[in-house]
Amino acid sequence: EDEQIVAEIMKRRFFPALITHRAWEGFYFAGHEIRITEATDCYGAVVWPSALALCYFLETNSKRYNLVDKNVIEIGAGTGLVSIVSSLLGALVTATDLPELLGNLQHNVLQNTKLKSKHQPCVKELSWGVDLEKNFPRSSCHFDYIMAADVVYHHPFLDELLLTFDHLCKKDTVILWAMKFRLEKENQFVGRFQALFDLEVISNFPSLNITLFKAMRKGRMKG
């Protein structure tokens, strides 16, 4: 069953028939053809399998996780695929990442959502753990969902990542997080995360070593 679903997910990806001056790849989600411009010079400028898995989950579980008119923020949005799919599914999306990635992120978001989405997404800088109250004040920022795909990998900002989850997550916020398990140090992040949040596995792809989690503040998880 895992291999069948993974095959279905990977069938959503397509590539240009001709080589062009800008590297891109395409995806079919939420009834649309999505073209993502990539760069190969940094981690955040390519589409990773965790993003595909999360997009597939959002599309195939759109009744249970109805994003229409919901406030959604994606942290570590990278090329923007998850933000784009969330927007096409009706959400009010804020796509965030480091300043050096915002140009490409803005390009992809605008190209794939303009005149297609109910709400035009917002692209905003977010460096994990930095100026969180200034840029995302607790008093005025409320997100129904936090999306995260492949934000835990070999980088030195795991403390800042946890701080960012903690700052953005209100008592009724739902975190949907796709994680590829790699090294023990990164895997230990899950245990630290569970000190603040209740965690539930909602989908699993063993052949990709990817798990999808739902998380909420301690004591807020419903069956």
Side-chain angles (χ1 to χ4, degrees), residues 7 20 48 86 104 119 138 158 220:
T20 59
W48 299 99
S86 298
N104 189 54
H119 309 284
R138 291 180 186 269
L158 294 177
R220 302 296 301 182

Side-chain angles (χ1 to χ4, degrees), residues 126-146:
L126 173 54
S127 299
W128 297 336
V130 178
D131 292 332
L132 294 175
E133 182 59 29
K134 176 184 175 182
N135 297 324
F136 299 89
R138 291 180 186 269
S139 60
S140 59
C141 286
H142 178 277
F143 297 106
D144 299 294
Y145 289 93
I146 298 171

Side-chain angles (χ1 to χ4, degrees), residues 75 146-148 151-152 160-170 175 177 189 193 197 217:
I75 61 174
I146 298 171
M147 304 290 179
V151 292
V152 179
E160 291 82 356
L161 174 60
L162 187 58
L163 184 65
T164 301
F165 273 124
D166 185 41
H167 180 84
L168 296 173
C169 189
K170 298 291 181 63
I175 299 170
W177 168 26
F189 180 84
F193 184 89
F197 304 99
R217 286 272 178 206

Side-chain angles (χ1 to χ4, degrees), residues 60-72:
T60 55
N61 292 272
S62 59
K63 290 185 178 179
R64 182 176 181 185
Y65 296 93
N66 184 1
L67 299 185
V68 176
D69 298 333
K70 297 296 194 301
N71 283 312
V72 171

Side-chain angles (χ1 to χ4, degrees), residues 3 9 24 31 42 46 52 74 84 88 91 98 115 134 136 149 156 164 168 170 176 183 199 205 217:
E3 292 181 356
I9 293 172
W24 65 270
C42 56
V46 297
L52 272 69
E74 184 185 6
I84 291 164
L88 294 173
L98 297 169
L115 304 180
K134 176 184 175 182
F136 299 89
T164 301
L168 296 173
K170 298 291 181 63
L176 296 178
L183 302 174
L199 199 62
F205 306 98
R217 286 272 178 206

